Amino acid sequence: MVTLQGFVGPWYRNLFRFLLLFSYIIPISLRVNLDMGKAAYGWMVMRDESIPGTVVRTSTIPEELGRLVYLLTDKTGTLTRNEMVFKRLHLGTVSYGTDTMDEIQGHVRASCPQVALVQWTESVGLTLVSRDLASVQLRTPSGQVLTYSLLQTFPFTSESKRMGVIVRDESTAEITFYMKGADVAMSSIVQYNDWLEEEVTRGVG
């Protein structure tokens, strides 16, 4: 408008007047347009057939997706809906699966792997009686209660990808080291088996 009127007279006053008026109009309309665009984009994401089941819970999803560089997820909880399916058990050189133990097939347990193991062992006769920071008591299928003292615990770390515990059998004074972990970490520790490499490759793939 100032250009059309020409830079004559108090043109700077008119310029300041237009800037003052449009400073309230442009940002509001721009914000409304941006919010409408975000809502439309979120609706398109939820309707995308290539990612079924997606739920957009915030209108800032376009900005969040635009800033993503690395996507890090865990294997349990977030991706498994807090459910664990017990399919196979490896004990040394022996593998128990659905073809050898019908109890394992479709055994759905809680999200925590330790809870799934405890509940499965209880279903086959070995029951956890008590557990504290110093000892563990187990009941065998024959009713005998075994007491183990916890001598040392090695917590799980992302570097080692495994955890372990050293226990002492109070009835025999025998000391044993138990370890569990990711297949890629345990494959170099346990005794070689003909099915071990296949299981590791399947887990990675």
Side-chain angles (χ1 to χ4, degrees), residues 147-149 151 166-178:
T147 303
Y148 297 90
S149 297
L151 303 181
I166 300 177
V167 299
R168 181 178 60 234
D169 189 344
E170 292 301 322
S171 61
T172 62
E174 181 180 0
I175 297 178
T176 308
F177 178 41
Y178 294 99

Side-chain angles (χ1 to χ4, degrees), residues 1-8 11-12 14-16 18:
M1 297 295 295
V2 175
T3 304
L4 294 177
Q5 292 180 358
F7 294 94
V8 294
W11 61 270
Y12 53 87
N14 295 331
L15 178 62
F16 179 75
F18 284 117

Side-chain angles (χ1 to χ4, degrees), residues 6-152:
F7 294 94
V8 294
W11 61 270
Y12 53 87
R13 184 185 304 171
N14 295 331
L15 178 62
F16 179 75
R17 182 183 303 168
F18 284 117
L19 291 177
L20 185 63
L21 291 175
F22 281 98
S23 65
Y24 290 97
I25 299 175
I26 295 178
I28 294 178
S29 60
L30 182 61
R31 181 61 182 270
V32 172
N33 291 335
L34 288 176
D35 290 341
M36 292 178 60
K38 293 176 184 178
Y41 184 77
W43 180 82
M44 294 172 61
V45 170
M46 290 191 295
R47 299 280 294 181
D48 194 341
E49 296 181 355
S50 61
I51 47 176
T54 303
V55 178
V56 177
R57 295 186 174 90
T58 175
S59 62
T60 60
I61 190 67
E63 290 92 339
E64 299 296 335
L65 292 177
R67 289 199 297 263
L68 285 181
V69 178
Y70 300 100
L71 179 61
L72 306 177
T73 62
D74 58 356
K75 295 190 297 182
T76 59
T78 304
L79 301 181
T80 60
R81 299 180 181 179
N82 287 329
E83 295 180 355
M84 170 168 281
V85 179
F86 204 116
K87 292 185 176 180
R88 185 175 295 272
L89 175 65
H90 298 293
L91 294 177
T93 59
V94 182
S95 174
Y96 299 96
T98 56
D99 53 342
T100 56
M101 298 187 68
D102 296 335
E103 305 97 303
I104 300 179
Q105 186 175 12
H107 205 71
V108 180
R109 293 306 183 192
S111 61
C112 180
Q114 289 81 1
V115 175
L117 289 172
V118 170
Q119 293 179 342
W120 178 79
T121 55
E122 182 178 359
S123 68
V124 296
L126 186 62
T127 305
L128 176 64
V129 178
S130 65
R131 166 72 161 88
D132 54 34
L133 296 178
S135 63
V136 176
Q137 286 188 331
L138 304 175
R139 181 183 294 110
T140 64
S142 62
Q144 180 184 4
V145 176
L146 305 177
T147 303
Y148 297 90
S149 297
L150 300 177
L151 303 181
Q152 183 65 44

